[in-house]
Amino acid sequence: MSKERLVVIGNGMAGARFVDDLLGRGGGDRFDVVMFGDEPCGNYNRILLSSVLSRSHKPDDIFINPMSWYAARHITLHAGRRIERIDVRARQVVTADGLTEHYDKLIIATGSSPIIPPLANVRDEQGTFKHGVFVFRTLDDCERIMRAAAAARTAAVIGGGLLGLEAARGLLNWGLETHVIHLMPHLMEAQLDPGAGDVLRRQFEQMGLVTHLATRTTGILGNGHVAGLEFADGSRLNCDLVVIAAGIRPNATLAADAGLTVNRGIVVGDDLACRAGDVPVPDVFAVGECAEHRGRVYGLVAPLWEQTARLADRLSGRNPDAVYVGSSVSTKLKVMGVDLAVMGDKEPVGEDDEVVSYSEPSRGIYKKLIVRNGRLVGAIVLGDGAVVPSVLQTFASGLPLHDNRAEILFAPASTAPAMVAMRRRRLRTPRASAIATTYRRRRLSKRSWAALEASRRYATSHARQPGAAPAGPKWRPSSRSHARVSRKRSSLRISALSSRHWLRPRTPARPTPLQISRSTRSSASSATRMASTSKPTSSDLCAMGGKRSTNPIVSG
Ligand SMILES: Cc1cc2nc3c(=O)[nH]c(=O)nc-3n(C[C@H](O)[C@H](O)[C@H](O)COP(=O)(O)OP(=O)(O)OC[C@H]3O[C@@H](n4cnc5c(N)ncnc54)[C@H](O)[C@@H]3O)c2cc1C
């Protein structure tokens, strides 16, 4: 049987992953694969560009599919060749240098390009960026930024989103005075609420970053080479390196010119086929950041890997009816020293949505859960990596939550060194240990037990990674009595609360100063160390007023 010709435009994280998925499902028996990539190399992990910039990875370390990978699988790769035109009727694609390639199936995986805001003087007469101005999208960009950073003194990053902050952290590692200029009043506004944005800003400022919020950059200063930035209020900032990280736009012009439907991205159905109007176009598909599915364009890797798997299922014949129905996204900031995970909704949507939040700005901690119909539909976890695995797992599973929301908001007490020490003191005999274990097992549902295990694994793996966040919360084992210790540190108060809860589960809970309240449409007060509520209960008022509790375990 003669093989069909499958052409992929884009050799990035979605294009190459799709081919890998397809071949892994036996698609090599059906198709001859031809790939076109604008970049002159194999496929690398774009996510790790931030690590290359901050010098924790070398460029060679981040390749997923080097050139030999394609050769070994008989894939024809045109690296460094850009497709200029798609002819859907003639079923062919044409490169910028005139090469024409026929296809039986076409996959468009062209990704996104950085958005360049309207800035005076950003380009020279030839239309290229002024010397010292960069975007941060490709390995080539990254290497050029690093060369410039070696000779620069002051850097400015335009954009305080995920990418801008990762770029800024990388530049700090080069010893540059680094400024982030952000149009919005708080950092990462797409993922964070103002409270979390504020805590994050403090953390970055403690690292040495200078932030300029609610600031609009209007132009680049300097002749020939960048000398500074100019802002809408007329003020200026001297700098000799500028990175623009002001968002991305799907690369969809190629598809639009071919008559395919394009809104924000290339519109695809659940079958991932492109559309002309509302009609599916036979044998033309789009995956990755260039694709728009059910009105959503994803800018993260996890959803696009779900897309490539479903498309590979269909085209390989393993499951010709496979459909992609969308993804719930979670993301983590990969900045050394900052533990941030975000998933789903950041604010309540309906009147009945519950918000459970906890904020401790002095320690860089901010946690927030959005609960809808008893299920976790969104979370922000900043500054407490130990709870991230269980929160992620709860979010992904979509299972109903335990009535005590604090169970996922705080790390299981057993992961805290102080707690382990405390329990050892209490449970000296094997029999006492056995009783406690039985109680704990009874109390924990299977799901929470799995979450606890995941949390332990996460803490252990973090402990092994050089430069990673410390394992678990920053508790120090203490020889003093837990009551006296807890007076000193609020984190220990929490652990003591959990311990009481775990070890004596049948005792009716007494109100405590740190009772976690649930509320509708409430938001965290960034200045308090307690759970927020819009209608405080008497126990909450006790905490707000700073009153000492009579509970010996909690307040000492
Ligand atoms: C610095 C950085 C950090 C990131 N961190 C994270 C993270 O932590 N987590 C996360 O989930 N995501 C992260 N992302 C986003 C993630 O990298 C993207 O979601 C992912 O790379 C998108 O894959 P893609 O294949 O759709 O696009 P790309 O990976 O951009 O690949 C598209 C490829 O198509 C090529 N191309 C475009 N047009 C043509 C044409 N006409 N002809 C031929 N080739 C063409 C491009 O040159 C490119 O190589 C990060 C991105 C960057 C830049």
Side-chain angles (χ1 to χ4, degrees):
M1 188 180 86
S2 70
K3 292 187 191 177
E4 287 187 285
R5 179 154 289 234
L6 182 140
V7 170
V8 183
I9 309 176
N11 181 33
M13 295 200 74
R17 176 73 171 216
F18 164 73
V19 172
D20 198 14
D21 286 349
L22 183 77
L23 300 185
R25 289 162 171 77
D29 299 336
R30 289 187 166 208
F31 299 107
D32 282 325
V33 179
V34 181
M35 301 187 73
F36 290 87
D38 202 11
E39 294 180 73
C41 53
N43 169 47
Y44 56 87
N45 189 342
R46 205 172 296 283
I47 290 178
L48 290 179
L49 287 180
S50 318
S51 310
V52 173
L53 183 59
S54 56
R55 293 193 281 188
S56 57
H57 281 73
K58 294 198 178 92
D60 285 351
D61 298 342
I62 69 168
F63 275 85
I64 305 171
N65 310 104
M67 297 303 245
S68 56
W69 183 86
Y70 302 85
R73 286 156 187 79
H74 310 292
I75 298 163
T76 308
L77 171 65
H78 296 279
R81 258 184 159 151
R82 182 175 182 78
I83 295 293
E84 282 285 294
R85 192 161 59 82
I86 302 171
D87 188 336
V88 175
R89 282 211 180 146
R91 289 182 165 249
Q92 58 190 26
V93 295
V94 184
T95 64
D97 55 1
L99 176 77
T100 300
E101 184 75 56
H102 166 81
Y103 67 79
D104 296 303
K105 302 259 187 272
L106 177 66
I107 318 299
I108 307 173
T110 46
S112 304
S113 295
I115 292 174
I116 309 300
L119 297 173
N121 213 14
V122 67
R123 295 180 195 271
D124 59 22
E125 295 80 36
Q126 286 77 46
T128 51
F129 281 137
K130 187 184 280 290
H131 281 297
V133 178
F134 305 93
V135 291
F136 187 33
R137 178 74 195 181
T138 65
L139 189 52
D140 192 40
D141 295 332
C142 192
E143 287 178 330
R144 287 189 302 123
I145 295 172
M146 291 196 294
R147 278 196 296 274
R153 293 171 63 112
T154 308
V157 177
I158 301 177
L162 200 90
L163 198 60
L165 292 175
E166 290 192 4
R169 185 67 185 90
L171 291 166
L172 272 179
N173 271 17
W174 283 83
L176 304 188
E177 177 187 319
T178 306
H179 298 251
V180 168
I181 294 93
H182 194 47
L183 188 61
M184 306 305 287
H186 70 268
L187 297 174
M188 283 182 67
E189 78 288 346
Q191 292 88 5
L192 303 183
D193 64 5
D198 195 50
V199 175
L200 186 67
R201 177 189 56 77
R202 285 166 175 244
Q203 276 191 280
F204 273 103
E205 287 182 350
Q206 276 164 16
M207 288 178 192
L209 202 72
V210 186
T211 55
H212 307 257
L213 299 177
T215 304
R216 189 160 66 86
T217 312
T218 50
I220 309 276
L221 303 171
N223 292 318
H225 197 286
V226 61
L229 297 179
E230 189 164 43
F231 304 120
D233 63 2
S235 60
R236 293 176 166 204
L237 170 74
N238 291 336
C239 61
D240 44 9
L241 193 162
V242 173
V243 175
I244 301 176
I248 51 171
R249 179 178 293 125
N251 291 325
T253 315
L254 194 62
D257 292 347
L260 303 175
T261 306
V262 170
N263 288 335
R264 210 149 71 80
I266 306 167
V267 174
V268 294
D270 289 358
D271 53 2
L272 294 161
C274 298
R275 302 305 200 235
D278 288 337
V279 183
V281 177
D283 302 325
V284 180
F285 305 87
V287 285
E289 278 187 357
C290 66
E292 177 179 322
H293 174 261
R294 296 190 186 182
R296 286 188 77 176
V297 176
Y298 295 96
L300 296 168
V301 160
L304 62 90
W305 283 355
E306 288 179 46
Q307 295 172 1
T308 60
R310 294 297 76 77
L311 188 57
D313 283 343
R314 288 181 78 89
L315 298 190
S316 65
R318 177 187 272 198
N319 179 4
D321 300 323
V323 286
Y324 171 73
V325 292
S327 307
S328 24
V329 290
S330 59
T331 187
K332 289 179 78 177
L333 188 68
K334 313 179 297 295
V335 166
M336 200 196 295
V338 181
D339 248 319
L340 171 64
V342 189
M343 60 215 80
D345 295 346
K346 63 173 176 166
E347 296 288 1
V349 177
E351 283 297 316
D352 294 331
D353 284 359
E354 292 173 24
V355 180
V356 186
S357 55
Y358 175 83
S359 172
E360 197 179 341
S362 61
R363 290 207 307 137
I365 292 178
Y366 184 96
K367 300 189 252 189
K368 177 173 173 180
L369 308 176
I370 309 284
V371 181
R372 190 170 303 143
N373 300 324
R375 289 172 165 78
L376 186 65
V377 294
I380 299 171
V381 182
L382 174 57
D384 186 358
V387 301
V388 169
S390 57
V391 176
L392 275 171
Q393 196 193 37
T394 310
F395 174 72
S397 73
L399 290 170
L401 295 180
H402 191 281
D403 272 353
N404 178 6
R405 312 302 197 215
E407 213 170 72
I408 54 168
L409 202 57
F410 296 100
S414 67
T415 59
M419 277 310 307
V420 174
M422 197 161 82
R423 277 220 306 274
R424 275 201 197 118
R425 279 199 299 276
R426 274 199 194 173
L427 306 171
R428 287 208 178 94
T429 66
R431 179 166 158 64
S433 297
I435 291 169
T437 308
T438 314
Y439 265 114
R440 226 171 40 205
R441 290 220 165 108
R442 259 190 225 155
R443 253 201 72 70
L444 285 175
S445 63
K446 206 171 162 193
R447 180 163 50 86
S448 0
W449 192 257
L452 168 61
E453 286 306 316
S455 178
R456 278 199 192 119
R457 277 199 300 278
Y458 179 84
T460 316
S461 69
H462 259 62
R464 286 194 206 112
Q465 288 167 16
K474 295 172 187 125
W475 280 301
R476 265 179 289 148
S478 167
S479 58
R480 290 174 291 177
S481 87
H482 63 268
R484 277 164 54 209
V485 174
S486 68
R487 207 181 305 147
K488 299 263 181 214
R489 300 183 62 148
S490 58
S491 59
L492 280 168
R493 291 185 207 173
I494 298 297
S495 71
L497 177 65
S498 324
S499 133
R500 177 172 152 268
H501 194 74
W502 277 37
L503 299 175
R504 296 189 213 135
R506 291 188 177 170
T507 314
R510 276 181 289 166
T512 70
L514 275 157
Q515 184 127 23
I516 306 309
S517 56
R518 279 174 277 145
S519 65
T520 56
R521 286 197 164 275
S522 68
S523 64
S525 152
S526 61
T528 71
R529 244 196 274 127
M530 52 170 293
S532 72
T533 173
S534 53
K535 283 189 183 169
T537 62
S538 56
S539 57
D540 294 323
L541 284 171
C542 168
M544 282 173 180
K547 292 261 164 77
R548 297 265 305 268
S549 165
T550 50
N551 183 329
I553 295 178
V554 175
S555 74

